[in-house]
Amino acid sequence: MATDCINVAVIGYGLSAKIFHIPFMLALSSSFNLYAIVQRNPQPNNDASKDHPRTKTYKSTEEMLMNPSIHLVIITTTPATHYSLCKLCLEHQKHVVVEKPFTPTQKEAGELIELARQRRLVLTVYQNRRWDADFMFLSRLHADGVLGRIVELETHFDRHRPELPAESWKTRPEPGTGAIYDLGVHLIDQVFVLFGLPDRVTGVLGTQRQGGAEEIDDSFTVLLHYDAISLLATVKAAVVSPETQQLRFWVRGEKGSYEKYNLDCQEPQLKAGMRPDEPSFGEAAEEEAYAVTTAVDGRLVHIESAMKEQWKPGSYISFYKTLARCLAHGEAPPVDAEGARQIIRLIQLVKLSSDRGMTLSVQEEHKSVD
């Protein structure tokens, strides 16, 4: 792009916009200018114009898109709206960031990717948990061969929240809702980053809470079968998990294992109002609960104390730093949209597997998905 600072419009003004996107625009003000926010129904206690008085506000996306000064649009609305809004933005020659999940179906994602390609626009998806501290550490362990050939990986997003949540779009049976789209998209994406597409997938979607809508899953267990490398990846989320420390990763290889408890600290820090450009952002207040075990002289020993320098704070801000370089200098986007489409296809196969009660081949064509 010819401009030094990228004018950004954010569509939506809920949790996603306020916590996961706008703070990074403000922290990277030399690269991004929070130029506009689209909020259809501002309220006295939720008004973008009051929170950001120097930012233009619009009540319709169509009106915002008529402004030629806007370069980049961030879509933070509900998943069911992602396809139509993203298509509209691309048609108005805007670069686009889409909050996860990309779209409810891989077919919709593919159409958007092709439209962006035709118009030579950047299209990327906010898979921010690629920059969780525990996942970045696991990526380094894998790249350095510390664990050897990995044969089993468990990745969890478990919480003890047995009560029904308050009514919101997440509790309504809309396209792209449910735990598999909300949390599964992160966990499956992390496995995909490490190992690529699996050969087969087995999905079990369910509702652990009583009294909720049965068609909206609040929990899942997914098996990703990598037959060629003899790896089984288990992806799980639960809302009934009364544990003082929740398992996050358990990875076992021929040379060692990695065990990690509790979630990355960046989301609670952002919700507490911490700015992502503060020096301590991404650093956990308490020592991280993890263990690395490996074989030394024929004995299995813990080596995490010797690897503390390898543990780096989480870095969601890296998504937008990479995006700034992408737009300014033509570097690769932070998340490849085609990879994000593959994740949506896997989620569709998980749902189909759960419905049919059978394991499905990823390589085969499935009429209801493809």
Side-chain angles (χ1 to χ4, degrees):
M1 290 177 60
T3 184
D4 292 330
C5 197
I6 301 158
N7 286 336
V8 180
V10 178
I11 303 179
Y13 195 61
L15 176 70
S16 173
K18 295 177 184 178
I19 300 299
F20 291 110
H21 297 280
I22 290 175
F24 297 100
M25 300 297 97
L26 302 178
L28 297 172
S29 58
S30 62
S31 297
F32 297 100
N33 173 37
L34 182 60
Y35 186 89
I37 298 172
V38 179
Q39 185 182 24
R40 289 191 304 170
N41 299 302
Q43 302 296 320
N45 62 346
N46 182 30
D47 189 334
S49 65
K50 293 179 181 178
D51 296 340
H52 303 279
R54 297 182 180 180
T55 298
K56 294 180 182 294
T57 55
Y58 296 91
K59 289 190 176 180
S60 80
T61 298
E62 290 78 6
E63 183 184 3
M64 176 273 292
L65 289 173
M66 297 305 295
N67 190 326
S69 297
I70 294 169
H71 310 122
L72 169 70
V73 178
I74 303 173
I75 298 172
T76 71
T77 51
T78 62
T81 67
H82 286 183
Y83 171 76
S84 59
L85 287 175
C86 185
K87 184 171 185 286
L88 189 62
C89 292
L90 293 171
E91 289 172 341
H92 282 78
Q93 209 60 27
K94 311 297 185 186
H95 303 292
V96 181
V97 173
V98 185
E99 178 60 90
K100 63 81 190 170
F102 188 0
T103 52
T105 70
Q106 68 89 21
K107 182 179 179 181
E108 293 170 321
E111 291 176 6
L112 295 175
I113 291 168
E114 177 59 21
L115 179 58
R117 186 195 66 79
Q118 291 174 358
R119 292 179 172 264
R120 297 184 178 182
L121 293 167
V122 172
L123 171 61
T124 188
V125 182
Y126 191 63
Q127 295 284 173
N128 60 306
R129 289 194 176 272
R130 293 187 182 189
W131 291 273
D132 280 354
D134 47 22
F135 178 69
M136 293 193 300
F137 183 70
L138 171 58
S139 298
R140 282 190 286 272
L141 291 177
H142 180 51
D144 294 342
V146 175
L147 307 181
R149 183 177 64 87
I150 293 173
V151 299
E152 191 165 7
L153 179 150
E154 289 187 26
T155 174
H156 291 245
F157 206 117
D158 301 330
R159 297 163 294 175
H160 190 55
R161 297 181 181 176
E163 302 82 9
L164 289 174
E167 198 278 333
S168 72
W169 63 267
K170 289 187 177 183
T171 64
R172 296 192 292 268
E174 298 179 354
T177 57
I180 192 64
Y181 277 103
D182 186 25
L183 304 178
V185 70
H186 281 309
L187 305 185
I188 294 173
D189 178 70
Q190 289 179 337
V191 178
F192 172 79
V193 168
L194 292 175
F195 302 107
L197 285 173
D199 297 292
R200 295 176 295 127
V201 62
T202 309
V204 180
L205 307 184
T207 53
Q208 294 182 339
R209 296 186 180 106
Q210 291 187 331
E214 292 186 0
E215 63 267 37
I216 303 177
D217 56 283
D218 62 20
S219 58
F220 56 81
T221 297
V222 176
L223 302 180
L224 303 175
H225 309 261
Y226 291 83
D227 298 329
I229 57 175
S230 300
L231 165 67
L232 179 65
T234 303
V235 177
K236 289 178 67 71
V239 292
V240 178
S241 182
E243 303 287 348
T244 56
Q245 292 200 99
Q246 301 286 359
L247 180 63
R248 179 65 187 89
F249 285 109
W250 190 14
V251 186
R252 288 174 283 188
E254 290 181 326
K255 294 182 179 179
S257 67
Y258 168 56
E259 194 172 358
K260 168 65 169 54
Y261 288 83
N262 304 325
L263 295 171
D264 182 89
C265 65
Q266 291 174 91
E267 180 174 343
Q269 286 177 339
L270 290 165
K271 288 180 176 178
M274 183 180 286
R275 286 177 58 96
D277 54 351
E278 292 184 31
S280 60
F281 181 77
E283 296 181 1
E286 299 178 0
E287 187 171 352
E288 295 281 6
Y290 71 97
V292 181
T293 305
T294 189
V296 177
D297 296 329
R299 296 183 302 114
L300 293 175
V301 296
H302 288 289
I303 62 168
E304 58 270 10
S305 60
M307 302 194 68
K308 283 188 175 181
E309 291 186 1
Q310 299 295 320
W311 185 281
K312 305 298 182 184
S315 183
Y316 293 168
I317 200 169
S318 291
F319 177 93
Y320 277 111
K321 286 181 176 179
T322 304
L323 180 60
R325 294 194 299 271
C326 170
L327 295 173
H329 306 297
E331 294 185 15
V335 174
D336 175 51
E338 174 57 25
R341 182 192 70 82
Q342 295 282 7
I343 302 305
I344 296 301
R345 182 174 184 271
L346 286 177
I347 287 176
Q348 288 186 270
L349 290 177
V350 166
K351 290 171 66 67
L352 184 61
S353 168
S354 183
D355 290 342
R356 292 182 177 179
M358 61 186 297
T359 298
L360 300 177
S361 167
V362 173
Q363 301 304 320
E364 290 180 9
E365 185 174 318
H366 300 274
K367 186 174 296 186
S368 63
V369 172
D370 301 305

